[in-house]
Amino acid sequence: MTKKKVVVQEVGLRDGLQSIPQIMPTEAKKAWIDAAYNAGIRHIEVASFVPPRLLPQMADAEQVVAHALTLPELRVTALVPNLRGAENALKAGVHRVVAPISISEQHSLANVRKTPDAMIEEFQRMRELRDSESAWAQTTVVAGLSTVFGCPFQGYVPEQDVCRIVLKALDAGADVIALGDTTGHATPRHVGRLLQLLSSVIEGKVTSLHFHDTRGMALANTVVALDYGIREFDSSLAGLGGCPNAPGATGNVATEDLVYMLQSMGFETGIDLRRLVESRDILKRAVPDAPLYGYIAREGILDGSVPQQLSSHGVQS
Ligand SMILES: [Zn+2]
């Protein structure tokens, strides 16, 4: 029987690092990408194309992308908050550009200085730019919806607001929609309710989810999303990160913990958990002030205590 595949996209290099004041040297970022790749990860969001004066941590985005593109079969994604960033990312040759579109107006203004509707218009311009060059035809344009399950400024985010923005993003030409729980407000029932609602509105366009573990709900939320057919999840090595414009947000769910759970459920991730845990050493050395999280790394991976499925883990593309 073939195992069900789940894509785990490492986003620590973007989401994780962007909220850390300590700049990670470019060489360390390259080493992190290599280590993730050698552990079997084939999907990485490597950078954000923003002005260096706003986010010095991402000043080396082009170099990091260029390095990532040398690795065969690695899908290279970049976050692009505006048309200029999208142009730079497309020229750099990324496989996917993700535009952050907040459901919450206040968060949108804080994050990209545009209302959600104005950001949708910017997103449409990005998609038109992608369509304008045949060389970019294979680049996927992703609407990365944020504050989908809650907002640090407005609190509750109504599900009809999410539906409205999802439909507008599709009208603007989004290839796929990713849902982000920017601040870790999501709970399992909420995730199920929203995915149920969205599946009745659109089919097959919401392809990935992005959970933060702020309230310890990320893995429970993941299980519910799996039940609704989602097969792609973002995570960050050692749970690194947060969001600079979302006060109180902590990091993404730790990649190690996510992989452990997925493999225990019989999903194929292609990731070698031991190598993944070992790759945390790069973070310890390069950003020693950043707190590192993760249950699996803390407790270790002991032979005999790991789920059956781990015994057959291999690096697969
Ligand atoms: Zn995030």
Side-chain angles (χ1 to χ4, degrees):
M1 199 181 87
T2 51
K3 282 187 180 179
K4 300 159 285 180
K5 290 196 173 182
V6 170
V7 168
V8 173
Q9 174 170 254
E10 174 63 46
V11 299
L13 283 124
R14 197 280 301 166
D15 205 347
L17 287 180
Q18 74 178 10
S19 61
I20 289 176
Q22 196 171 15
I23 306 281
M24 184 182 249
T26 308
E27 289 310 310
K29 292 182 184 177
K30 292 180 185 175
W32 183 359
I33 291 169
D34 291 348
Y37 186 83
N38 289 330
I41 288 179
R42 291 294 178 269
H43 304 80
I44 307 183
E45 189 168 299
V46 297
S48 177
F49 279 78
V50 288
R53 70 185 155 76
L54 292 181
L55 200 49
Q57 181 73 271
M58 296 292 147
D60 57 0
E62 263 175 53
Q63 292 158 268
V64 174
V65 166
H67 177 75
L69 289 172
T70 64
L71 299 171
E73 292 174 37
L74 180 67
R75 188 186 73 186
V76 180
T77 297
L79 192 86
V80 294
N82 53 39
L83 188 62
R84 179 77 183 273
E87 186 175 2
N88 291 336
L90 288 164
K91 284 179 175 165
V94 300
H95 303 124
R96 297 200 326 170
V97 289
V98 182
I101 302 169
S102 291
I103 309 297
S104 147
E105 180 157 325
Q106 274 177 281
H107 181 264
S108 191
L109 290 169
N111 203 34
V112 293
R113 282 171 285 167
K114 289 185 180 68
T115 64
D117 287 315
M119 190 60 199
I120 292 274
E121 286 168 22
E122 185 82 351
F123 176 69
Q124 181 158 344
R125 288 189 283 273
M126 294 180 196
R127 197 265 305 156
E128 287 165 356
L129 179 70
R130 187 276 313 267
D131 293 345
S132 70
E133 289 273 350
S134 58
W136 299 334
Q138 299 304 313
T139 306
T140 304
V141 174
V142 183
L145 306 191
S146 51
T147 62
V148 168
F149 297 94
C151 167
F153 306 112
Q154 79 172 49
Y156 175 66
V157 173
E159 283 146 38
Q160 55 266 37
D161 289 2
V162 180
C163 282
R164 188 180 77 84
I165 296 292
V166 164
L167 291 173
K168 287 199 80 168
L170 289 172
D171 276 349
D175 294 320
V176 292
I177 308 270
L179 303 182
D181 180 24
T182 315
T183 51
H185 280 96
T187 54
R189 289 280 163 84
H190 190 172
V191 172
R193 212 165 54 229
L194 184 63
L195 290 176
Q196 176 79 54
L197 184 63
L198 287 174
S199 69
S200 67
V201 181
I202 45 152
E203 253 328 312
K205 286 286 186 178
V206 174
T207 57
S208 88
L209 282 177
H210 173 109
F211 290 121
H212 281 249
D213 205 28
T214 318
R215 293 169 182 81
M217 293 289 117
L219 290 178
N221 293 335
T222 302
V223 172
V224 173
L226 287 164
D227 282 346
Y228 279 86
I230 302 294
R231 291 292 181 269
E232 180 172 335
F233 297 91
D234 287 353
S235 60
S236 178
L237 184 67
L240 197 70
C243 178
N245 298 311
T250 57
N252 301 90
V253 63
T255 307
E256 310 89 298
D257 295 351
L258 176 65
V259 169
Y260 179 84
M261 185 187 78
L262 290 170
Q263 292 182 345
S264 78
M265 294 170 78
F267 288 105
E268 179 61 71
T269 65
I271 296 169
D272 183 317
L273 192 50
R274 280 183 180 76
R275 285 188 180 184
L276 192 63
V277 170
E278 284 164 15
S279 72
R280 291 165 61 104
D281 288 346
I282 292 168
L283 303 186
K284 285 180 201 159
R285 284 196 301 270
V287 283
D289 298 340
L292 304 186
Y293 305 100
Y295 295 101
I296 296 308
R298 188 188 70 196
E299 297 303 321
I301 310 167
L302 299 175
D303 288 333
S305 72
V306 294
Q308 193 73 46
Q309 282 77 8
L310 282 174
S311 60
S312 62
H313 65 75
V315 179
Q316 295 178 1
S317 56

